[in-house]
Amino acid sequence: MPHPSKFQREDDSEPIPHPPRYKEHLQILAADLKLAYKALYEAIQPIPYIRDRLYCVDKVFIEGGSEEWVGDGTFRGKGTSWVRLESYKDIYTNPPGKPIRYIIQADPGFGKTTQTLQYTFNWSTGVKGSPFSDVQLLIYLRLRQLRGVRSLAIAIRRYLLPKSCPLKIADIREILEHTTSVAIILDGWDEYPELNTELGGYMRDIITARASPNHDVTLTTRYLPKEFPATARRVRLTGFDDQARDQYIRKAVVGDSDESVEQIKQRLKDNPVLADLCQVPLFFVMFAHLAHEKEAFKRFKSVTEFFSFMIKCFHEHLRNKEEDPNVERQSRQYEGVHEELSALAYEGLSKPDQQIVWKKEELIRRLGEGFYEHHKRIGMLVEEEVITDQTTADGFDVYTSEIRFYHKLFCEWYAAYHLAELAVTLDGAELSSELKKLDPYDLQYLYRFACGLDPAAGKKIISYLQSLKGGDKFAVLCILEQTGEVDDIKETVKKLCADTVSIKMGDTKLLQRSTVQLLDIASSHKIPTSCLHLNGCVSEAVAAGGNLLLNSGLHVPPSTTLETIAITGENLDIPEGKMIGLLTYAEKCEKLKKLTLQCLLPLSDLPAEQIPPSLKTRNIEVLLLSLKELVYHLNLIQGKWVKHSSGTAQIGGYVELSRGTEIGWRVRELTRASAAGIPIAQVVIYGCSPVADQSGSISLALLSSQLSLPILSTLQELWIRDIARRMDNTEVVGILSYTAQCAAVKVLVFDGQTLPDRVQGAESTLSTLRSRNVSVLGRMKTESSPSDCRVRCLDLFSGVWEEDD
């Protein structure tokens, strides 16, 4: 739970006197904010056309999966430090102190806005123990509305307060300056109109804490901002698992009717092609409501077919409400003829800076007022009032209306009709040039829909995708959209699955997603899969809802046809509990014969009673690899790791300890290796300002903590790499002393430092190093030659650095 004073500043200075009427103004602002938020959180529409049935956010909000990045502040690193959160509330569990920036990141439809509206509900209704429950002011702003707005106070006055509110902009600014407990939520950074302009500088200043430094700020976004504080807490939403889907069905669709719950879940099982789409909360919500309400709900062969059915439901719902035959006739015409809307959607998505919002006047001019009003009534188009830069003669703001699709995926749906038309008419070179404007990672459903809508267009688009690096797997999904029949792609799937199927750290999320769906197709159609190699993409080998969780947030379901799983990665860390979870996942893979892991060292022994029994009866091999060769296998009866007869335990290569790596884990593994008598070839300490402490260990200075590397009795070579660092005699003697205590070290190297010309006061240490014939080398400068970096060797008799011949 959040700390009771989490959002209050730690400040020992004298409090600043409040201005006159401050308390009165604060009460007015808080009350009007709560009224504004109520209008938002009580108007949730699970399906666009159900406008006569709005929900309060508290009645439909279900927690999906969420993970927090943990590390030393290098957020744009390899992405190997995502840790699952138990609750969305855990985002705000840090202790009181300096204000913090929070970044909640997810793809469209994963519930960023719904989650932040739940925060406004909790604050407005005083839900105890919830995030923001102890905050005096919660400011919630939708960034897509803030075109031309130059300050927080102006945004609050314009978009959150009624015209009758007596507070002026100066009053609001004064309240923000004198209130110590303020939290700000900025929803939709990727939709901010001034995102890439100089005019957006004030909002970037808030994110980086150059502005509003005394307030906590939460940012929701699809993409990371280019600049944010190193201390920011970064969280991503990973979507609905089976448990979350079950909770939503009961809470918002059917109540406690077990029969109805099972009917909806069965309809999802009958539509495996929609499994990936339904991990996105927005689309599972639509699926659940349609599956419950539509008797004609059927099995769909493709996502294109499901979307076509869904759009048809939107139009039918409106026709069923109207008894006028002229309205029905016109509705059918608008449903079938939408070339201009498709062209408009395509134009917006193919621009370098995508346009997903249009002026109302422009839209009506192109579409016609009747067409526009019809699509607004079915919920496909959403109208939003925004403030312009203009004012009236008497100083009042001038408002205009902007139009957007209910969701970007519907924009892709209509744009796909235009893309399919282009693909048929353009030649190969012209089409290739056109498709280069459309990033498959960002617009995967645009590609899939276009292939599903027109077979001739799909053939040309698929040919283009197959020419791209890694495009063959995504092309399989487009072929499936085109025909709806797995029989047409079986040979392609068999060919891809006959060799090792890899998902690796450097893959785009689209490529990872395509590979996961390829495995799912193979599993559901009994196509054998030789080996799945997960390389550097499993930050925690943990079964999440029965699935493997990748560091991209994607889930890999168990496969009924997979024979071997290989999990590798230099930072792979599998505690006992998660190893049991991994074995449980392996048990669900019915044809699995072998599970291999790559770690520096053998893992801890496991409680034999927790190992799934069927693994023992199926005699599955569970193997552990060192960096170079086979070392251990798991005895499934005893739960013990046993040294393999063909291997020799050792840590080959080198182990780097630096700020960009998982130092704590590596230090622990090195310590275990030393205790087990396993040789360690080389350790490189890079950029951590190592200093020998009183215990003889080496202390490593990190961004957020201190770690110690204990004496490693099996270490053979130690490198201290600190570019441009000046070390004094005491520090050098400490490193030499540590080396002397590591009994197997043969080489010590200083790399990049400036060192004293002579080591003094270390006669005993130098004698020990001499007796073991240890080489102490340096690619370094000396105090007498600070500009002369060259290779030198330490004379272990005199302690003088001499040039190495």
Side-chain angles (χ1 to χ4, degrees), residues 433-468:
S433 177
E434 191 69 26
L435 293 177
K436 286 178 181 177
K437 303 176 186 176
L438 306 169
D439 180 6
Y441 166 70
D442 184 45
L443 300 169
Q444 65 150 315
Y445 285 103
L446 170 59
Y447 279 85
R448 293 173 68 173
F449 290 152
C451 293
L453 290 170
D454 189 316
K459 184 176 181 180
K460 295 172 75 173
I461 292 171
I462 289 164
S463 177
Y464 167 79
L465 291 171
Q466 289 173 329
S467 71
L468 302 178

Side-chain angles (χ1 to χ4, degrees), residues 1-3 6 68 85 89-95 102 233:
M1 300 303 292
H3 192 283
K6 160 66 198 76
E68 180 184 8
L85 295 175
K89 299 176 184 179
D90 294 341
I91 299 171
Y92 300 97
T93 54
N94 47 294
Y102 303 86
R233 292 189 71 175

Side-chain angles (χ1 to χ4, degrees), residues 382-574:
V382 178
E383 186 173 320
E384 199 166 61
E385 199 174 56
V386 297
I387 298 172
T388 68
D389 293 332
Q390 301 174 337
T391 57
T392 62
D394 48 2
F396 289 101
D397 294 318
V398 175
Y399 289 78
T400 188
S401 293
E402 290 186 343
I403 313 300
R404 59 183 174 84
F405 282 89
Y406 175 77
H407 188 275
K408 186 181 175 184
L409 212 53
F410 293 110
C411 186
E412 293 186 47
W413 169 258
Y414 284 99
Y417 282 90
H418 191 75
L419 175 58
E421 184 180 341
L422 287 176
V424 170
T425 57
L426 297 177
D427 63 29
E430 292 171 330
L431 179 60
S432 178
S433 177
E434 191 69 26
L435 293 177
K436 286 178 181 177
K437 303 176 186 176
L438 306 169
D439 180 6
Y441 166 70
D442 184 45
L443 300 169
Q444 65 150 315
Y445 285 103
L446 170 59
Y447 279 85
R448 293 173 68 173
F449 290 152
C451 293
L453 290 170
D454 189 316
K459 184 176 181 180
K460 295 172 75 173
I461 292 171
I462 289 164
S463 177
Y464 167 79
L465 291 171
Q466 289 173 329
S467 71
L468 302 178
K469 183 179 180 180
D472 52 350
K473 294 175 183 175
F474 181 46
V476 168
L477 302 183
C478 292
I479 295 170
L480 187 59
E481 291 297 325
Q482 187 181 32
T483 67
E485 298 293 342
V486 172
D487 287 344
D488 295 329
I489 59 171
K490 269 189 176 180
E491 290 306 314
T492 303
V493 174
K494 285 180 180 178
K495 181 179 178 182
L496 290 172
C497 292
D499 297 324
T500 297
V501 177
S502 296
I503 303 177
K504 56 183 182 295
M505 181 175 59
D507 290 345
T508 65
K509 194 170 183 179
L510 173 61
L511 181 54
Q512 290 191 357
R513 189 186 298 276
S514 301
T515 306
V516 170
Q517 290 188 264
L518 175 69
L519 292 168
D520 204 36
I521 292 170
S523 177
S524 60
H525 291 82
K526 307 303 179 186
I527 298 173
T529 304
S530 173
C531 176
L532 172 61
H533 181 199
L534 302 172
N535 183 12
C537 61
V538 181
S539 58
E540 297 179 359
V542 56
N547 302 333
L548 276 184
L549 184 64
L550 304 183
N551 58 25
S552 61
L554 296 178
H555 293 218
V556 183
S559 167
T560 59
T561 61
L562 182 59
E563 298 176 354
T564 299
I565 300 174
I567 301 178
T568 62
E570 61 181 36
N571 292 333
L572 188 62
D573 188 11
I574 313 177

Side-chain angles (χ1 to χ4, degrees), residues 689-701 706-711 725 730-731 733-739 741:
S689 302
V691 176
D693 57 29
Q694 293 180 349
S695 68
S697 301
I698 289 183
S699 178
L700 307 174
Q706 292 282 339
L707 280 176
S708 291
L709 178 67
I711 294 166
R725 178 188 172 196
T730 301
E731 292 172 322
V733 169
I735 297 296
L736 292 171
S737 176
Y738 172 86
T739 305
Q741 295 176 77

Side-chain angles (χ1 to χ4, degrees), residues 47 242 244-272 274 278 283-295 297-298 300 306:
I47 300 182
D242 290 340
R245 286 194 280 261
D246 188 273
Q247 288 176 356
Y248 181 84
I249 294 170
R250 293 182 183 278
K251 186 173 183 179
V253 185
V254 302
D256 291 328
S257 171
D258 292 337
E259 182 180 350
S260 297
V261 171
E262 289 307 314
Q263 181 188 50
I264 294 173
K265 291 169 71 174
Q266 184 58 47
R267 285 183 166 177
L268 181 57
K269 290 178 183 177
D270 291 341
N271 288 278
L274 303 180
C278 284
F283 292 102
F284 173 74
V285 164
M286 291 186 186
F287 177 93
H289 284 273
L290 289 172
H292 178 57
E293 296 171 6
K294 298 292 180 181
E295 291 297 327
F297 203 82
K298 57 182 181 178
F300 300 100
F306 171 67

Side-chain angles (χ1 to χ4, degrees), residues 167-369:
L167 297 180
K168 299 178 180 179
I169 292 173
D171 298 326
I172 299 170
R173 188 177 290 117
E174 197 172 63
I175 293 169
L176 294 175
E177 289 174 357
H178 289 84
T179 304
T180 60
S181 180
V182 178
I184 302 168
I185 298 176
L186 303 175
D187 186 25
W189 174 248
D190 50 295
E191 298 178 348
Y192 181 41
E194 318 285 14
L195 179 64
N196 296 314
T197 70
E198 292 183 6
L199 299 178
Y202 97 95
M203 192 57 67
R204 288 191 287 273
D205 285 346
I206 292 177
I207 294 169
T208 56
R210 291 188 291 264
S212 300
N214 296 322
H215 302 150
D216 284 276
V217 177
T218 298
L219 181 75
T220 73
T221 180
R222 183 179 181 185
Y223 305 110
L224 280 176
K226 293 179 181 177
E227 185 181 5
F228 55 89
T231 55
R233 292 189 71 175
R234 181 178 157 198
V235 173
R236 69 180 178 191
L237 308 183
T238 58
F240 274 2
D241 58 15
D242 290 340
Q243 182 179 1
R245 286 194 280 261
D246 188 273
Q247 288 176 356
Y248 181 84
I249 294 170
R250 293 182 183 278
K251 186 173 183 179
V253 185
V254 302
D256 291 328
S257 171
D258 292 337
E259 182 180 350
S260 297
V261 171
E262 289 307 314
Q263 181 188 50
I264 294 173
K265 291 169 71 174
Q266 184 58 47
R267 285 183 166 177
L268 181 57
K269 290 178 183 177
D270 291 341
N271 288 278
V273 72
L274 303 180
D276 179 67
L277 188 69
C278 284
Q279 282 189 20
V280 181
L282 175 71
F283 292 102
F284 173 74
V285 164
M286 291 186 186
F287 177 93
H289 284 273
L290 289 172
H292 178 57
E293 296 171 6
K294 298 292 180 181
E295 291 297 327
F297 203 82
K298 57 182 181 178
R299 180 170 182 171
F300 300 100
K301 296 179 179 179
S302 66
V303 177
T304 304
E305 192 178 14
F306 171 67
F307 252 73
S308 182
F309 172 82
M310 185 165 56
I311 300 295
K312 182 179 179 181
C313 289
F314 292 178
H315 291 280
E316 281 185 349
H317 180 82
L318 180 60
R319 287 197 288 268
N320 291 338
K321 291 177 64 177
E322 303 287 349
E323 297 182 357
D324 187 341
N326 292 325
V327 172
E328 180 176 349
R329 184 173 58 256
Q330 196 171 46
S331 169
R332 292 189 183 279
Q333 179 183 355
Y334 290 149
E335 179 182 357
V337 182
H338 46 73
E339 286 84 357
E340 193 62 27
L341 179 61
S342 297
L344 189 89
Y346 181 83
E347 290 167 14
L349 294 178
S350 60
K351 291 180 179 180
D353 292 324
Q354 292 178 2
Q355 180 184 2
I356 55 175
V357 176
W358 293 265
K359 298 291 185 183
K360 181 178 179 180
E361 295 79 7
E362 175 196 357
L363 212 66
I364 290 177
R365 179 179 57 80
R366 291 190 60 173
L367 303 179
E369 189 163 1

